[in-house]
Amino acid sequence: MFENLQERLGSILNGLTGRGALSEADVSAALREVRRALLEADVALDVVRSFTDRVRAKAVGAEVLKSIKPGQMVVKIVHDELVETLGSDGVAIDLNAPAPVVLMMVGLQGSGKTTTSAKIARRLTDRQNRKVLMASLDTRRPAAQEQLRQLGEQTGVATLPVIAGQSPVDIAKRAVQAGRLGGHDIVILDTAGRTHIDEPLMLEMADIKSASNPHEILLVADSLTGQDAVNLARNFDERVGITGLVLTRMDGDGRGGAALSMRAVTGKPIKLIGTGEKMDALEEFHPKRIADRILGMGDIVSLVEKAAETIDAEKARAMAEKMAKGKFDLNDLAGQLEQMSKLGGMGGIMSMMPGMGKMKDQLAAAGLDDRMFKRQIAIISSMTKAERANPDLLKHSRKKRIASGSGTDASEINKLLKMHRQMADMMKAMGGKGKGGGMMRGMMGGLANKMGLGGMMPGMGGMPDLSKMDPKQLEALQKQAEAAGLGKGMGGGLPGLGGMKLPGLGGQGGLPGNFPGMGKKK
């Protein structure tokens, strides 16, 4: 979502951090470019003007212009103001009310209200063990109520039975009563939308609000709609009174201005963001983490949280024990490929690591995209159990059969086997030294080495643990990373995994050791 804005702001701010001293004219010129970048990203004009004015007021002060690293001070100011614009702290859905807590979903038609309602219901059921009832109040859109019923079956969440001919207000009253009688903790009302805001829609929303007395009114908005999303939020807030925002399609290629504008214009917190079509593709909105991503500082915390959700602890433990013995077959490689796909693929992981946002183009140029992972998984799936356990069995005739079954050719199979041999040797060496982690790091290190970047990616190409290096060694490594175009303007932030402290990220520790290959917990 923020890739274009990230690239623009990154190039602008890198120009500042590369200078030894800054004048007021330098800061003003940079802020003009920042202003242009924000406007091109569809951020509202008033928000852009307020943002740049606040940054200028702090950035042209004597303590900044005369500081040892004024460029990095300006980057910090821009980061802090981005966080302020997005909302200083993340705000979760408020459920502190007598049961059943009523959540009313509002928004225009096509914004994703029904799917988002089911995602929230599943999230509350799985994570907080809440008993949820969903009700569709959309009597106009064909099959809207049937859609919610099917999503309820898919997620295992109860839905209110449909009674033909009932009005939205009557359905809302019945849903609240059914929630109370059925012992439900939460009732989610999926209201109807329109293609545009009109008076009948607002009157209907007001009537439903009066009838159901919702504790939260969440506006679901499509983040790809740009400036219209800001007007939408303002109108709904004035007429109905929203308590929070949910932005959908945050995985799209839009410019991201809606996220920056809506919070500033309405003063209402963005509580959740939709990042895909699947029922688990919903994340809490953390302003600081989003600001880190926009400025290319990565988001290690979200990566760890995502790993915790997607990785099976039992499989991880068994794999770690196997790896400690120096064993690594093609079944293990397939497991690592699937694990990386669940974490968002190579591109998704790189985007959350500090200084690695710029690596995406190099990854694509080297052919290291998610399609490559899928092809490799298809190749391994076309093998017999014996072949996966013992790759040495794979001679010409077997490779021909596997290529036919996976829709690939012998060269791709050979590349896969070569990568496996390199990783197996690495795992054997690590197992021999008594290290029980490093499979994910080894995977990424092998890919980095294939691109000729192993020495520039600390923690991925057999580099030492940064937590055991003295300041001079760290400084030398930072210079090496900057020479490769990595880590600039991050206050010393260095990319990498492997149980290290990450400078420039508030002293966050290494990735937890109970995830195979994600290092040793500090």
Side-chain angles (χ1 to χ4, degrees):
M1 168 57 69
F2 295 106
E3 283 183 7
N4 293 336
L5 185 59
Q6 178 181 330
E7 289 175 9
R8 288 292 307 277
L9 290 183
S11 61
I12 295 165
L13 297 175
N14 279 344
L16 292 179
T17 55
R19 302 185 187 184
L22 291 179
S23 66
E24 187 171 337
D26 293 333
V27 174
S28 296
L31 286 179
R32 278 196 298 273
E33 293 300 315
V34 170
R35 177 190 179 98
R36 185 177 291 115
L38 292 173
L39 289 173
E40 288 177 0
D42 258 347
V43 182
L45 178 61
D46 292 345
V47 177
V48 174
R49 187 179 293 124
S50 173
F51 177 83
T52 53
D53 286 348
R54 293 198 308 271
V55 173
R56 180 179 288 106
K58 295 178 181 179
V60 299
E63 67 276 7
V64 173
L65 298 180
K66 293 182 180 179
S67 64
I68 298 174
K69 293 184 178 179
Q72 292 190 0
M73 287 289 288
V74 174
V75 172
K76 183 181 184 303
I77 292 168
V78 171
H79 176 270
D80 292 346
E81 291 303 326
L82 269 177
V83 174
E84 186 65 29
T85 302
L86 290 167
S88 299
D89 299 308
V91 180
I93 294 176
D94 183 14
L95 301 177
N96 294 320
V101 180
V102 179
L103 307 181
M104 179 176 167
M105 313 296 290
V106 301
L108 293 185
Q109 187 173 316
S111 61
K113 287 191 306 299
T114 302
T115 304
T116 301
S117 298
K119 287 180 180 180
I120 292 174
R122 174 176 171 170
R123 188 181 184 88
L124 294 173
T125 302
D126 292 348
R127 297 195 177 193
Q128 300 186 29
N129 199 29
R130 302 295 183 111
K131 187 178 180 182
V132 182
L133 174 68
M134 297 190 293
S136 174
L137 278 58
D138 191 347
T139 58
R140 291 178 175 80
R141 182 166 62 90
Q145 293 176 314
E146 175 63 17
Q147 180 190 0
L148 189 69
R149 187 190 68 77
Q150 290 189 3
L151 288 173
E153 288 184 358
Q154 184 180 334
T155 56
V157 176
T159 54
L160 187 73
V162 177
I163 297 178
Q166 275 200 320
S167 69
V169 174
D170 290 337
I171 297 173
K173 291 178 180 177
R174 183 162 62 91
V176 175
Q177 184 179 21
R180 188 177 296 111
L181 295 175
H184 291 85
D185 302 308
I186 297 159
V187 174
I188 298 178
L189 303 179
D190 175 27
T191 67
R194 304 284 195 283
T195 54
H196 62 280
I197 294 173
D198 57 16
E199 191 61 24
L201 170 65
M202 290 305 178
L203 290 174
E204 182 179 293
M205 295 300 108
D207 291 342
I208 292 171
K209 180 181 177 181
S210 299
S212 60
N213 190 27
H215 186 63
E216 286 261 28
I217 301 178
L218 301 176
L219 172 63
V220 181
D222 187 336
S223 60
L224 304 183
T225 54
Q227 290 299 303
D228 286 341
V230 177
N231 298 326
L232 166 75
R234 186 185 285 116
N235 285 326
F236 266 101
D237 190 35
E238 290 172 354
R239 295 296 302 271
V240 184
I242 61 175
T243 59
L245 303 162
V246 181
L247 293 182
T248 59
R249 300 193 197 178
M250 287 292 284
D251 57 325
D253 57 358
R255 290 168 285 186
L260 288 168
S261 302
M262 293 174 76
R263 167 65 176 79
V265 169
T266 64
K268 307 298 181 182
I270 300 171
K271 299 200 171 188
L272 296 164
I273 54 176
T275 56
E277 292 296 321
K278 294 182 179 179
M279 286 295 105
D280 59 353
L282 190 69
E283 298 177 7
E284 292 180 359
F285 185 82
H286 296 279
K288 185 182 181 303
R289 299 185 195 178
I290 295 295
D292 286 347
R293 290 191 207 180
I294 292 174
L295 294 183
M297 296 179 182
D299 188 359
I300 291 292
V301 178
S302 292
L303 179 58
V304 173
E305 289 180 351
K306 198 168 184 180
E309 293 171 13
T310 58
I311 294 173
D312 187 308
E314 289 299 322
K315 288 182 180 178
R317 191 175 296 109
M319 201 174 288
E321 290 173 359
K322 190 174 180 181
M323 185 193 64
K325 298 175 183 177
K327 296 180 180 179
F328 185 75
D329 59 25
L330 287 169
N331 288 312
D332 300 320
L333 177 57
Q336 291 298 295
L337 290 167
E338 289 171 356
Q339 179 178 314
M340 290 188 70
S341 295
K342 288 180 181 178
L343 290 173
M346 181 64 80
I349 293 172
M350 286 289 192
S351 67
M352 291 188 179
M353 292 175 60
M356 289 297 180
K358 298 176 183 177
M359 297 289 295
K360 286 186 177 181
D361 293 339
Q362 291 168 274
L363 287 168
L368 300 175
D369 55 15
D370 294 342
R371 288 175 297 180
M372 182 196 75
F373 289 158
K374 290 178 181 177
R375 287 196 300 272
Q376 291 179 333
I377 291 172
I379 290 171
I380 297 172
S381 299
S382 299
M383 297 177 185
T384 65
K385 289 183 179 179
E387 289 167 346
R388 289 196 291 267
N390 184 11
D392 292 335
L393 295 174
L394 295 173
K395 304 303 179 187
H396 177 71
S397 59
R398 291 177 183 260
K399 289 179 183 178
K400 189 175 179 180
R401 187 201 79 241
I402 293 165
S404 177
S406 59
T408 57
D409 54 42
S411 64
E412 292 192 72
I413 296 174
N414 289 333
K415 286 178 185 176
L416 174 68
L417 293 175
K418 182 180 179 181
M419 185 173 77
H420 169 260
R421 280 195 302 271
Q422 291 174 341
M423 292 181 66
D425 291 342
M426 189 183 303
M427 298 307 159
K428 192 175 292 183
M430 294 170 74
K433 294 176 183 177
K435 294 182 180 179
M439 294 182 81
M440 178 72 76
R441 181 177 49 188
M443 163 80 73
M444 299 184 75
L447 295 173
N449 289 332
K450 183 177 179 182
M451 296 165 61
L453 295 169
M456 301 173 189
M457 297 170 69
M460 291 187 186
M463 297 293 290
D465 188 340
L466 297 191
S467 63
K468 298 177 182 177
M469 297 172 69
D470 62 41
K472 288 185 178 180
Q473 288 174 310
L474 281 172
E475 186 177 352
L477 198 54
Q478 175 69 19
K479 287 179 180 178
Q480 185 184 13
E482 290 183 355
L486 305 174
K488 287 186 178 180
M490 295 187 295
L494 283 167
L497 301 175
M500 59 193 173
K501 294 288 184 180
L502 292 168
L505 286 177
Q508 295 164 6
L511 299 179
N514 59 334
F515 306 144
M518 298 195 120
K520 188 176 180 181
K521 192 172 182 179
K522 289 286 177 185

